Amino acid sequence: MAWWQILLLTLYAGYEILDELQIYSSLNTPVGAGLIAGLVMGDLKTGLFIGAGMQLMVLGVGTFGGASKIDATTGTVLATAFSTSVRGMSPQTAISSIAVPVAAIMVELDVLARFANTYFSHRIDHLIDQDKINYKAVERNVLYGAIPWALSRAIPVFIALAFGQGLVQTIANALNGQLSWLGTGLTLAGATLPAVGFAILLRNLPVKKHIAYLILGFTLTTLFSVLFTNVQTLGVGVAAINKTFVGGFNGLSMLAMALIGLALAILHYKNLPASKPAAETATSQKVSSVDDGGEITDDEL
Amino acid sequence: MTNSKPNYKLTDDDFRQINRRSLFGYQLGWNYERMQNSGYLYTILPQLRKIYGDDTPELKQMMKTHMQFFNTSNFFNTIVTGIDLAIEENEGVEGKDAVESIKVGLMGPFAAIGDSIFASLIPAIFGALAASMAHDGSPVGVLIWIAASLLICVFRWKQLRFAYKQGTSLVTDMRDQMNAITDSATVLGVFMVGALVATMINIKFSWVPKIGSVTMNIQNNLDMILPKLLPALVVGFVYWLLGKKKMTSTKAILIVIVLCVICGGLGIISKA
């Protein structure tokens, strides 16, 4: 790794958590981290692959009431950096042997940052008790909170990137050598971990109520993906034999599947039986008053 | 100030300033003791100074009030701010009790709505889309998510003025609307989980037992029943696991890794 790659990834790690606290641009998410880290390391595909795996793993993990959650974003940064710079470290192995442990350890540092900010809150209390309040200082002490947040991510990433490569190379060699059974297992784990994300999400969603949509989503996609895969295999085979045979063989488009889901959601919304909002929209259209609730609907979708 | 009722009216500049501070500074001071207290004060401090005047006892009292515990969704915080400022602008310090009870009363419901929609549902839907495209090496899904995030920022920007105008009547009106949207969005969420289980968990049985001279390809037989049965079973297993007492998501992840190392090492299951 070049020094500027370490620098950029450290800066990104510091920025990433602030993004999550502020505008939540989605560059703070694992898949966004995969994009950035992939670009920095010059291997976009690996970065996106690791980001995707980690994103799916934490799909159902929300931040409720300021609870610390597993830090898959930082895990993705380190896993991408090492997977692209260490020989013999496959993306799947990087997910389960680097990204997941890092993500779990980082929870502790998140807690530390939140503790540290209590100090600034107390300083503001003191400032308010003064006879003449220094307003600029009050505001500064709020913004200082960004420092513990950013450092809690940037420092560990810097240390790991600057000093960790030798260690990770040793691990990679072992996983490809005498510990190859462990390497195979970790690769499998990397491919299986999204299942945890889906299960957590299903625990949070009202699955029993909407079970029909779950079955529909699964079965439709299964059939399509089998069909598309077989057509692809067939097409590649035919193209190999017959050089004049030209055709595009793209895989299943998940955006198309998402649009089917969106259509079902819209139908569901319109069919909500005698629900208040539907009735309100109907009446408000007659009276032609400004439907304030509707404005929010538009911004959401 | 001799008159206890303030006579300052918020201007467009004030709204812009509050929104800027809300988008970029609101959560920076988050701490375990009182959570978003300092961020709440920070977003409205310039307006409080205009309403009460610098270094007045009223201002000091209200600053202390706003330094009390507060925590809500950062996607809805300016709704509370808007209602709060509408009261303070009219009532001044006399509205302190109303402000306190509104803050305490609203932070819970908005935290619940905001977290379930913006911290859970939207990341689930857009994250699923971005991840499934990124899995194939395309960053387009991430860009779609960024575009959606910008729209959400617009939504956050607009809600302050809306809340300020509507005052408290807003809260009851919006809850029904939000519930209907949330319910419909969960339909999309559940559908997408089903779709993702079928595409993103690429594992298969690699165990080919020999019974006498007949080799049995388990995966082939399973494919005849239902392709992707193994991924569905794994998700079902983890779902069941999460229902156990004292089970956390981190523990579940570690259990899955250990089981995969065992099954992968023995060659029963492999990556597809």
Side-chain angles (χ1 to χ4, degrees), chain A residues 22 52 92 117 121-122 125 129-130 132-133 135 139 149 203 209 218 221 257 268-269 276 292, chain B residues 21 23-24 28 30 33-34 37 55 59-60 64 131 156 162 176-177 183-184 191 194-195 239 271:
Chain A
Q22 298 174 332
Q92 273 106 351
N117 274 353
S121 177
H122 282 268
D125 285 341
D129 279 333
Q130 308 297 317
K132 196 150 177 54
I133 301 173
Y135 297 98
E139 293 176 353
W149 277 118
R203 279 268 163 213
K209 190 177 167 195
F218 175 74
T221 315
M257 292 311 297
H268 180 84
Y269 181 75
K276 255 188 164 176
D292 291 315
Chain B
R21 286 179 174 224
L23 279 183
F24 294 104
L28 293 180
W30 205 103
E33 196 182 71
R34 281 168 284 166
N37 63 335
D55 297 322
L59 177 62
K60 201 171 272 189
K64 280 185 180 170
R156 286 168 71 180
F162 179 63
D176 293 324
Q177 190 78 21
D183 192 46
S184 307
F191 181 88
Y239 183 83
K271 188 166 72 76

Side-chain angles (χ1 to χ4, degrees), chain B residues 89-117:
Chain B
E89 195 185 72
N90 290 317
E91 305 285 327
V93 179
E94 283 168 28
K96 178 168 166 274
D97 289 345
V99 167
E100 273 181 333
S101 57
I102 277 176
K103 280 178 69 180
V104 174
L106 292 187
M107 67 182 179
F110 277 118
I113 300 173
D115 282 349
S116 60
I117 293 180

Side-chain angles (χ1 to χ4, degrees), chain A residues 2-299:
Chain A
W3 65 268
W4 60 269
Q5 286 172 321
I6 296 176
L7 181 72
L8 281 179
L9 290 180
T10 303
L11 286 177
Y12 168 73
Y15 165 75
E16 156 269 302
I17 182 62
L18 299 182
D19 186 301
E20 183 169 333
L21 293 166
Q22 298 174 332
I23 52 174
Y24 206 97
S25 75
S26 86
L27 280 178
N28 57 315
T29 58
V31 71
L35 174 69
I36 303 277
L39 283 175
V40 171
M41 298 305 295
D43 188 345
L44 188 59
K45 217 170 156 67
T46 302
L48 284 172
F49 185 88
I50 293 174
M54 292 302 282
Q55 183 72 49
L56 294 173
M57 192 187 86
V58 298
L59 208 53
V61 184
T63 45
F64 287 94
S68 290
K69 64 173 197 290
I70 184 164
D71 189 353
T73 308
T74 310
T76 303
V77 172
L78 290 184
T80 305
F82 287 129
S83 177
T84 49
S85 65
V86 167
R87 263 172 295 111
M89 177 67 83
S90 81
Q92 273 106 351
T93 317
I95 288 175
S96 49
S97 65
I98 299 176
V100 173
V102 166
I105 295 168
M106 290 299 291
V107 174
E108 308 302 326
L109 291 161
D110 186 73
V111 172
L112 204 62
R114 289 166 192 262
F115 262 122
N117 274 353
T118 311
Y119 169 75
F120 296 114
S121 177
H122 282 268
R123 277 183 50 170
I124 296 170
D125 285 341
H126 280 292
L127 286 166
I128 295 176
D129 279 333
Q130 308 297 317
D131 283 334
K132 196 150 177 54
I133 301 173
N134 183 348
Y135 297 98
K136 288 276 165 251
V138 170
E139 293 176 353
R140 266 202 309 277
N141 274 291
V142 178
L143 300 180
Y144 283 158
I147 299 168
W149 277 118
L151 290 183
S152 71
R153 267 68 174 180
I155 290 176
V157 165
F158 175 75
I159 292 174
L161 291 179
F163 306 108
Q165 191 161 2
L167 177 69
V168 177
Q169 183 68 62
T170 317
I171 295 171
N173 291 344
L175 290 179
N176 291 324
Q178 73 266 36
L179 289 176
S180 64
W181 59 272
L182 184 59
T184 325
L186 287 173
T187 309
L188 176 66
T192 314
L193 279 172
V196 182
F198 303 150
I200 298 168
L201 193 58
L202 289 176
R203 279 268 163 213
N204 292 334
L205 293 171
V207 184
K208 292 203 176 87
K209 190 177 167 195
H210 295 316
I211 187 80
Y213 297 103
L214 180 68
I215 297 171
L216 201 57
F218 175 74
T219 321
L220 266 182
T221 315
T222 300
L223 294 179
F224 275 133
S225 69
V226 170
L227 185 67
F228 272 89
T229 314
N230 289 350
V231 170
Q232 264 179 313
T233 319
L234 208 63
V236 172
V238 173
I241 297 164
N242 187 347
K243 295 278 180 262
T244 57
F245 185 82
V246 183
F249 302 111
N250 289 327
L252 175 62
S253 160
M254 281 306 276
L255 191 58
M257 292 311 297
L259 285 177
I260 295 176
L262 182 65
L264 290 172
I266 293 169
L267 286 176
H268 180 84
Y269 181 75
K270 291 199 167 159
N271 288 336
L272 278 178
S275 68
K276 255 188 164 176
E280 271 169 19
T281 335
T283 47
S284 67
Q285 274 168 352
K286 275 179 206 155
V287 191
S288 82
S289 68
V290 183
D291 184 17
D292 291 315
E295 184 184 281
I296 288 165
T297 320
D298 291 338
D299 287 337

